[in-house]
């Protein structure tokens, strides 16, 4: 699937405000509301737009501690096995396989340091996890809704 400039501009506008009307988006990109709707429908059908969500401040929900955890396994571990071992922990908000010394990197949020410690203890009890290395986030400098180019 190939996106043209108008598709990119529509997606960028939706990333800024997913509640913007088709008319508002059309005004911003130079299309009519029906033309924007057709493009958004196509982008959804093609899987470019996978959904719409409310963006909530985690601190407002009491999740004030954020950390990145490097995971080191005993022996080989497939991405599927890694996924299965971390998905059952609700504090994990993202997980990645990575290059370098660690086998995986997870991003998690917790209520406080005690909750973070409890979560780390649960993670360390997962089969084959030999070691973890934690970096606690002091402040978020950039938080973009997407990491794609040209948005």
């Amino acid at each position: 699937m190939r996106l043209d400039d108008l598709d990119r501009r529509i997606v960028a506008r939706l990333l800024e405000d997913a509640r913007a009307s088709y008319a508002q988006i059309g005004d911003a990109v130079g299309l009519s509301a029906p033309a924007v709707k057709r493009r958004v429908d196509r982008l959804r059908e093609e899987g470019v737009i996978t959904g719409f969500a409310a963006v909530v401040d985690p601190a407002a929900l009491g999740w004030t501690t954020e950390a990145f955890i490097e995971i080191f396994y005993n022996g080989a571990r497939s991405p599927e096995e890694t996924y299965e071992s971390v998905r059952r922990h609700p504090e994990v908000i993202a997980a990645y396989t990575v290059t370098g010394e660690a086998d995986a990197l997870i991003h998690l949020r917790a209520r406080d340091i005690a909750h973070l410690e409890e979560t780390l203890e649960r993670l360390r009890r997962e089969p084959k996890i030999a070691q973890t290395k934690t970096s606690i986030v002091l402040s978020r400098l950039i938080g973009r809704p997407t990491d794609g180019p040209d948005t």
Side-chain angles (χ1 to χ4, degrees):
M1 90 194 70
R2 197 158 158 85
L3 302 181
D4 65 18
D5 184 57
L6 283 171
D7 290 335
R8 291 182 205 291
R9 290 171 55 205
I10 289 169
V11 169
R13 183 68 179 101
L14 286 170
L15 287 170
E16 289 173 17
D17 181 6
R19 295 184 57 170
S21 70
Y22 295 132
Q24 290 170 318
I25 296 169
D27 287 345
V29 302
L31 290 175
S32 68
V36 171
K37 181 185 183 319
R38 284 190 299 274
R39 283 179 175 258
V40 169
D41 288 345
R42 179 181 50 78
L43 291 167
R44 291 182 74 194
E45 288 169 13
E46 293 177 353
V48 174
I49 297 174
T50 58
F52 298 90
V55 179
V56 179
D57 178 5
L61 301 175
W63 297 78
T64 58
T65 302
E66 187 172 10
F68 288 89
I69 294 55
E70 292 178 87
I71 297 178
F72 301 83
Y73 290 107
N74 286 323
R77 185 98 176 191
S78 72
E80 293 78 18
E81 290 171 310
T82 299
Y83 169 78
E84 288 301 321
S85 72
V86 299
R87 76 177 184 91
R88 61 180 143 256
H89 301 276
E91 299 85 357
V92 175
I93 59 172
Y96 313 91
T97 55
V98 294
T99 62
E101 293 181 26
D103 297 299
L105 178 68
I106 63 171
H107 183 192
L108 66 79
R109 288 203 176 103
R111 290 183 304 277
D112 51 32
I113 294 297
H115 185 201
L116 172 63
E117 183 176 24
E118 178 226 309
T119 303
L120 288 170
E121 291 303 320
R122 272 190 284 118
L123 279 164
R124 289 179 183 137
R125 287 193 295 270
E126 290 290 336
K128 292 190 178 182
I129 290 183
Q131 177 185 347
T132 62
K133 182 177 176 185
T134 302
S135 296
I136 297 172
V137 174
L138 298 176
S139 59
R140 179 184 289 258
L141 303 177
I142 296 174
R144 294 186 177 125
T146 182
D147 57 352
D150 301 322
T151 56

